[in-house]
Amino acid sequence: MNKLSVIAGKSSEDLARKLSKKIKANLVKSQIRVFADGESKITLKGNLSKKRSIVVQSIYPPVDTNLIRALSLISKAKETSSEVIAVIPYMGYARQDKEFLPGEIVTMKVLGKLFKGAGASKIIVVDIHSMIGLKHFKIKSKNVTTIPDLVKYFKKLSLKNPLIVSPDQGGKERAKEFAKEFALEYIALEKKRDRKTGKVQIKTKNVEVVNRDLILVDDMISTGGSIIKATQFLKKQKCKRVFVACTHALLMNDAEKRIKKAGVTKIVSTNTIPGKTSIVDISNTIAKAIM
Ligand code: R5P
């Protein structure tokens, strides 16, 4: 039996397959039957390593379904393997890392207990929304960056006097890192989000972007609100093209259509969430984090 098994959760099948090849692990697929009431019946197809199993399962929508599936896979793996590593490429709930308004539940704290209780000894996440979330996990944890993978893609494009832009101050460090890897300059806009309605506004007044190609860098796109507002603002400032580089493209409802309508030339995301825009493969980066 191979010393390593990769268990492919249904939400991350392709990434798990690519990862298993890179780290020369035995790939174990999971078969799912969904009962009429919505419960998942999961069956593993293959034998697990006694030493180490790696569960790969992103927690994108349906978030709670994919979460319980991740926990179930970890729990099952722990029955055979002495070490279970949870690779959660997109960590749902990562934005709920602190009590923003009184009475709010910090769901990342709950998840920290659940992952440990299920049997994970380490968790690997990718470009997590903020490192505060991982502090709630009392097991080993690692956050992997996809910036070099995304930059590699953008370096192949022919861009006019490109500038890196963060749509908000919270993403400033990410934009700075992206710009450093690309040897370019960066700016960060001022965004305000209404904590009750979720609506966003750009507060920045002017930026010098005339006739420049811009790359808007963000960790994730959900409703598309942040990217749309930033693009509308940048277009008014007479920039040339706007590209979007993000790790996790959730693109809920008609977000992609609305982003394009706002004037974005291309959305480029990674395969932490499979989809039309997920053209940057990060299996190599995850493999490096495991080995
Ligand atoms: C927020 O701080 C994040 O970095 C993203 O900008 C945000 O979560 C994206 O969400 P939406 O697409 O709904 O604006």
Side-chain angles (χ1 to χ4, degrees), residues 95 129 168 191 193 218-226:
R95 288 177 292 179
H129 177 66
D168 51 43
K191 176 182 96 178
R193 187 185 288 274
D218 212 343
D219 58 333
M220 60 185 286
I221 305 174
S222 179
T223 63
S226 307

Side-chain angles (χ1 to χ4, degrees), residues 15 18-19 22 149 152 281-289:
L15 186 54
K18 288 189 170 105
L19 176 68
K22 301 227 155 94
D149 297 303
K152 200 165 153 200
D281 172 41
I282 57 146
S283 57
N284 217 19
T285 299
I286 294 181
K288 277 192 222 148

Side-chain angles (χ1 to χ4, degrees), residues 161 163 185 187 206-212 214 233-234 237-239:
N161 196 11
L163 177 70
E185 290 174 332
I187 55 167
N206 295 299
V207 282
E208 296 280 324
V209 293
V210 176
N211 219 15
R212 292 183 83 164
L214 307 178
F233 167 76
L234 294 163
Q237 303 286 309
K238 306 261 181 292
C239 69

